[in-house]
Amino acid sequence: MDLRRLRTFVAVAELGTVSKAALRLRITQPALSRQIMDLQQELRLRLFDRVGRGLVLTAEGEQFLADCRRALAHIDTLGERAEILRRGGRGVLKVAAPPHTIESVLSIFLPRYAERFPNVRVKLSEALGREQTPMLESGEVHIGIRHDQSDPRFESRVLPPDEILAAFAPSLELGRAGVIDIGRLASYPLLLLESGYSIRRLFDAACRLADVEPDVLLESRAPHTLLALAEAGQGVAIIPSLLQTNRHKLGIVRVTHRRKPIRERFAIQWDKRRPLPPYAESFCEALAEYMREVLPITHPTESKMDGARKQSALPKSRER
């Protein structure tokens, strides 16, 4: 069976039109149509129904699509194994991570890693947690750094948890002893990350559990936009503890529910079906060790009241 026809079939099934699939595969539409027709004749199955200008999989086509994806993934894996054997300890390592993880963690870690492994070039892709799943499945990236998706298709190296924090102008004096219950946040205008961020979905789930309706002032994909607005007194930013905040003058408290921090496991993940190059395995080990050292990056700040309590608790020096 011609592998080109299988790849063509998968592309048409995923994109829904011959024209889009032809652009992706860089072939003419007539040539692509012939490949689909030849494949259907070879299988003696009708794989698509035409609906308007698009193509919709038949029931047989849907089953065959799942088989094709498994077969092509296995073929790609064989190619990757051969590439690993040829290259040995050198090559390109493709890593997906959210933008704030790249800034807060990888910008410092990668130069150190390069000193130990100068023959490995790390290529980064910005992608939020759920955006990484198809990239890992297709082999577009080797590993993803994200909140643990608890997906049996992926192997994980578990890291310290990422916590939800509230950031605000220091004059606000929000919370006590570095914490605030999620129920108390309902009275403040909130600056939230978009729903593509795992930390936002975790916050929304905690709000539902606490029966809280948040007052959302702004949703943004850029974490530092939230920090700038919070610093200006324009609301309370809900952020992950993985985010660098040292460029801003902010008060930081841990968000809790029923006196427990709201947190989620962080992990390095990869597709079990795809072999990791040796240099990728060493990268995961070194990165996990580094992240265990630095996480959490942002901690609750000490309020003036807390500082005064500590000062009053110190033993007074004896007069001579």
Side-chain angles (χ1 to χ4, degrees), residues 100-125:
H100 63 283
T101 304
I102 294 175
E103 177 199 17
S104 300
V105 177
L106 296 181
S107 63
I108 301 172
F109 169 75
L110 289 179
R112 301 180 183 181
Y113 177 78
E115 291 179 2
R116 294 175 57 191
F117 299 92
N119 295 323
V120 178
R121 176 173 168 249
V122 179
K123 182 178 178 181
L124 298 176
S125 296

Side-chain angles (χ1 to χ4, degrees), residues 42 78 80 87 138 143 153 201 211 235 248:
E42 182 180 0
L78 293 178
E80 290 172 6
R87 291 192 175 187
S138 66
I143 64 173
R153 294 173 296 177
R201 294 194 297 274
D211 197 22
H248 301 270

Side-chain angles (χ1 to χ4, degrees), residues 184-195:
R184 292 191 58 209
L185 287 173
S187 59
Y188 296 93
L190 299 182
L191 308 165
L192 302 180
L193 292 165
E194 289 184 349
S195 59

